[in-house]
Amino acid sequence: DTEVTQTPKHLVMGMTNKKSLKCEQHMGHRAMYWYKQKAKKPPELMFVYSYEKLSINESVPSRFSPECPNSSLLNLHLHALQPEDSALYLCASSPGTGGNIQYFGAGTRLSVL
Amino acid sequence: GESVGLHLPTLSVQEGDNSIINCAYSNSASDYFIWYKQESGKGPQFIIDIRSNMDKRQGQRVTVLLNKTVKHLSLQIAATQPGDSAVYFCALMADSSYKLIFGSGTRLLVRP
């Protein structure tokens, strides 16, 4: 099973709202990732968690706040987003060490009004 | 730094023909390469990977070739089918890194 599950599939929010994206994997992977993908563009890395600790933050604005409650779950908390933050947000996971396949979820399609 | 480029943004092939998708990279420190397929409305799906100590790797109907001398990677799909229609991304990382750098993508269209 190489499944990464993301919820919700679609999300519409206003610029003053607070919402959260959720990601779950049960492959025993110890690294989890958030990517942002704009239309017709490749995914861009936002955050990396390794063994439940934040190891990479690609200079992401503070209105995006990641959280890794345990080794199977990854959240992305959203607050005061801008319309340009509208995108597909992808979660991925991989075994603990680098140089391994990253398995992606189907993503959350976010629209900020 | 690392950068990844693709030679063609869109590739149109006849069903049953072979497809070749190319990818160039600039950083010789990159030592792990992955091809992903992304269908509309879905996340990237792993197809095949190759490490820098190999030149070729084969999977089911797919072959990845790596030429480290010219920093070039290709994905060959044999007997292309309508279900192969998607955007294909090459991605690379340094073996000890978690950071995956994606190419800009090639859209593969399969004509019936």
Side-chain angles (χ1 to χ4, degrees):
Chain A
D1 180 14
T2 57
E3 187 171 350
V4 176
T5 303
Q6 291 188 243
T7 55
K9 293 192 186 309
H10 303 276
L11 180 62
V12 180
M13 60 186 293
M15 290 188 284
T16 59
N17 292 158
K18 288 184 180 181
K19 297 287 184 182
S20 296
L21 309 185
K22 297 186 183 300
C23 175
E24 189 169 5
Q25 58 86 15
H26 295 288
M27 295 178 278
H29 289 172
R30 303 311 299 267
M32 296 186 77
Y33 311 78
W34 281 114
Y35 287 83
K36 174 182 178 180
Q37 187 177 26
K38 301 285 277 185
K40 300 183 180 180
K41 296 290 186 182
E44 295 180 343
L45 182 66
M46 300 174 70
F47 302 104
V48 179
Y49 272 84
S50 174
Y51 292 85
E52 300 155 49
K53 293 191 184 329
L54 183 64
S55 61
I56 297 178
N57 177 340
E58 289 288 296
S59 302
V60 178
S62 60
R63 57 185 184 270
F64 295 91
S65 176
E67 178 196 20
C68 189
N70 59 56
S71 60
S72 299
L73 295 174
L74 186 67
N75 299 322
L76 186 63
H77 303 297
L78 313 173
H79 174 55
L81 294 194
Q82 303 298 309
E84 59 265 28
D85 296 321
S86 298
L88 180 68
Y89 288 85
L90 294 161
C91 174
S93 72
S94 70
T97 55
N100 281 276
I101 301 166
Q102 293 184 17
Y103 295 95
F104 284 82
T108 294
R109 177 74 60 187
L110 175 67
S111 296
V112 182
L113 305 179
Chain B
E2 296 174 343
S3 66
V4 187
L6 289 169
H7 296 292
L8 290 173
T10 303
L11 177 65
S12 180
V13 299
Q14 192 75 36
E15 181 179 355
D17 288 351
N18 296 335
S19 303
I20 300 176
I21 301 171
N22 296 303
C23 182
Y25 63 97
S26 59
N27 191 337
S28 57
S30 302
D31 51 14
Y32 181 53
F33 306 85
I34 306 176
W35 281 101
Y36 285 95
K37 171 187 181 183
Q38 188 172 24
E39 297 175 274
S40 181
K42 296 183 178 181
Q45 177 187 359
F46 169 78
I47 301 172
I48 193 168
D49 61 349
I50 189 168
R51 298 192 186 275
S52 59
N53 60 353
M54 302 174 70
D55 298 321
K56 178 179 180 179
R57 193 162 187 220
Q58 290 184 289
Q60 188 177 13
R61 285 202 304 118
V62 294
T63 300
V64 56
L65 298 178
L66 175 62
N67 185 329
K68 296 179 288 294
T69 302
V70 297
K71 300 188 182 63
H72 184 269
L73 187 70
S74 68
L75 176 71
Q76 301 178 1
I77 304 173
T80 312
Q81 302 170 358
D84 295 326
S85 293
V87 176
Y88 289 80
F89 292 103
C90 64
L92 54 85
M93 71 167 67
D95 198 50
S96 60
S97 167
Y98 290 103
K99 188 169 180 178
L100 198 58
I101 306 296
F102 281 82
S104 55
T106 293
R107 179 171 297 280
L108 178 64
L109 300 175
V110 182
R111 304 189 303 273

